[in-house]
Amino acid sequence: MPRVSAKRKEYKVKDLKGWVVMQMKLHGMNQADVAKALGRSQPQISYMLKIPKNGREKITADPFSYGDLLTLCELFDVSGEEKQRLLTI
């Protein structure tokens, strides 16, 4: 199904959550490692990364702050181009 421009923000948030999960897998990390880096608890990270399965649940808007994204970029050793793309979501 094509993406509707009216839900652009929701799609970007969903893509960001997927990116974080992918980076965790690529670097052999788990939610506890990310939680430690961000100074949060593992259940909070789990909630932040949750992607609703059905259309009734709402996507948590902007689960990560700007500082969180900077920390994640440093944790995952992100390139400059990708860092800029992530920080302009």
Side-chain angles (χ1 to χ4, degrees):
M1 183 161 99
R3 292 184 167 195
V4 180
S5 63
K7 292 188 173 189
R8 185 174 183 213
K9 182 72 171 179
E10 281 186 39
Y11 292 136
K12 286 188 172 198
V13 169
K14 192 174 180 181
D15 291 346
L16 176 62
K17 291 177 180 187
W19 178 85
V20 172
V21 171
M22 181 186 70
Q23 291 297 319
M24 286 172 27
K25 289 179 182 180
L26 289 173
H27 290 88
M29 295 181 179
N30 55 31
Q31 291 179 355
D33 298 327
V34 173
K36 184 176 180 183
L38 295 177
R40 303 221 173 128
S41 68
Q42 184 274 325
Q44 283 179 310
I45 299 300
S46 178
Y47 179 74
M48 291 166 74
L49 293 175
K50 182 180 178 188
I51 297 175
K53 299 290 185 217
N54 58 23
R56 295 179 189 173
E57 295 179 42
K58 264 200 125 141
I59 293 178
T60 307
D62 296 331
F64 298 100
S65 69
Y66 188 80
D68 291 342
L69 289 176
L70 287 174
T71 303
L72 290 173
C73 288
E74 186 177 310
L75 179 67
F76 298 136
D77 195 30
V78 175
S79 69
E81 288 179 15
E82 190 168 8
K83 187 176 186 178
Q84 184 176 357
R85 182 185 65 81
L86 290 169
L87 295 175
T88 56
I89 288 181

